[in-house]
Amino acid sequence: MKLMRRTFFLLLALSSVGLANAQTSQLQPYGELTAGATRFRTAVLPTYSAAVGLQGDGLAVGLRYRYAASPMKEADVSHDVSLLVQHNARLAPRLELFGGVATGFAVQHSRLLYEKPFAAGYIWTLNAEVDLGLRWYVSENVALTLNVGAGYRLTAHEWRSLSNRLPYDPRSVPTFVTATGGVSIGIPPRQKRLNLPPQLVVEGDAPILTPLQ
């Protein structure tokens, strides 16, 4: 898992630097924590995730780490890292609808599937997912979230095989479905300070120029 953690922090650094250079004045950082469930194959697994990124002007871009647990080790346990791109639309002063896509990679552990010890029985897969959800703002920068998503989690070989037999029956491809809820916290930008002599500034909603005494 050391390689996965290093890759996660590398992707986070690259995406943050690129976005900050692109629209520093229009985007603000945010973080999100969620919990829920994932249905994959025949199992329903408790799922936890954390995301960080930048948002603003109806667009949010971030990185998400998600962990799907299997308490009895009866199904796939997965750790995945995905790049998120979401579009936001305000429905009401406190209610926001968002939808987007996520793509990345996952490590799946399964003692039953790969016939190896649990720690050693794993496989790397590629994710593709669509998401739809709601945010209810309890304050200007804090929102409660509800999100549902669906996607595919396949190895590179399986993705190539899938592309060679289009059109295909979606029921023949293992699909995962998620439902999560949580909290999103935005970090407001710092207020710009006026670099003026104190004699020229009067407290109020806007700076007012006054003559020097």
Side-chain angles (χ1 to χ4, degrees), residues 7-8 38 51 65 92 95-97 100 106 114 131 190 192 205:
T7 306
F8 172 76
T38 297
Y65 167 74
L95 185 63
E96 184 178 73
L97 174 70
Y114 312 123
D131 296 289
R190 294 181 179 178
K192 294 183 179 180
D205 295 334

Side-chain angles (χ1 to χ4, degrees), residues 59-198:
L59 181 69
V61 180
L63 282 174
R64 180 186 65 199
Y65 167 74
R66 185 162 60 191
Y67 170 57
S70 181
M72 302 300 295
K73 306 294 190 293
E74 77 282 6
D76 284 16
V77 173
S78 67
H79 302 261
D80 75 69
V81 176
S82 297
L83 176 65
L84 305 174
V85 179
Q86 295 176 343
H87 178 69
N88 311 317
R90 190 60 64 97
L91 302 179
R94 290 182 175 270
L95 185 63
E96 184 178 73
L97 174 70
F98 66 90
V101 296
T103 182
F105 63 91
V107 180
Q108 290 184 187
H109 294 266
S110 177
R111 178 169 48 195
L112 299 179
L113 285 180
Y114 312 123
E115 298 180 352
K116 295 180 179 180
F118 184 74
Y122 66 89
I123 191 170
W124 289 80
T125 64
L126 302 176
N127 298 330
E129 181 182 353
V130 293
D131 296 289
L132 184 66
L134 293 170
R135 292 190 184 97
W136 175 263
Y137 283 87
V138 296
S139 68
E140 183 178 358
N141 296 297
V142 179
L144 302 179
T145 66
L146 178 64
N147 179 69
V148 293
Y152 296 141
R153 185 183 297 142
L154 304 171
T155 65
H157 174 72
E158 290 171 328
W159 279 110
R160 287 193 296 267
S161 300
L162 183 65
S163 63
N164 291 333
R165 56 185 174 92
L166 295 175
Y168 61 91
D169 183 357
R171 293 172 296 182
S172 64
V173 181
T175 304
F176 67 88
V177 180
T178 64
T180 59
V183 59
S184 176
I185 301 176
I187 302 175
R190 294 181 179 178
Q191 295 182 351
K192 294 183 179 180
R193 296 182 178 180
L194 295 175
N195 188 18
L196 293 175

Side-chain angles (χ1 to χ4, degrees), residues 1-20:
M1 301 309 298
K2 291 183 178 179
L3 176 60
M4 188 172 185
R5 287 195 294 267
R6 291 174 183 172
T7 306
F8 172 76
F9 288 117
L10 178 60
L11 289 173
L12 173 61
L14 292 176
S15 62
S16 299
V17 171
L19 288 171

